Amino acid sequence: MYSSIGSRRRTGATLALFLLAVIAPAPASAREPAAPEDTGINTGYCPLTRIGTQLVRCDNLTGAGVPAPYWIPEQ
């Protein structure tokens, strides 16, 4: 009676280890990311500047409202 429970556990553990060994090293599938849609945001190079105390890049406010340091050039 006890041997059948032990053999079932061994069989279950062996099956689980076998499935892990087969599934785990499966290669990852990757694909080319989709082309970005035109959002109206310039994705070219835009230097970081400031207007007053606000940080600006490509005519977009950035910096989460943190005051811009004085050494960043002003527009």
Side-chain angles (χ1 to χ4, degrees), residues 22-42:
V22 170
I23 294 173
S29 61
R31 61 180 163 194
E32 183 94 15
E37 296 179 15
D38 185 20
T39 58
I41 297 174
N42 184 2

Side-chain angles (χ1 to χ4, degrees), residues 3-67:
S3 63
S4 65
I5 293 174
S7 66
R8 286 183 186 168
R9 285 185 181 169
R10 273 194 301 268
T11 303
T14 304
L15 181 61
L17 287 174
F18 175 75
L19 289 175
L20 282 174
V22 170
I23 294 173
S29 61
R31 61 180 163 194
E32 183 94 15
E37 296 179 15
D38 185 20
T39 58
I41 297 174
N42 184 2
T43 57
Y45 173 74
C46 297
L48 183 65
T49 58
R50 66 183 170 92
I51 298 176
T53 61
Q54 295 292 314
L55 293 169
V56 179
R57 185 181 301 257
C58 296
D59 293 333
N60 294 317
L61 288 177
T62 184
V66 176

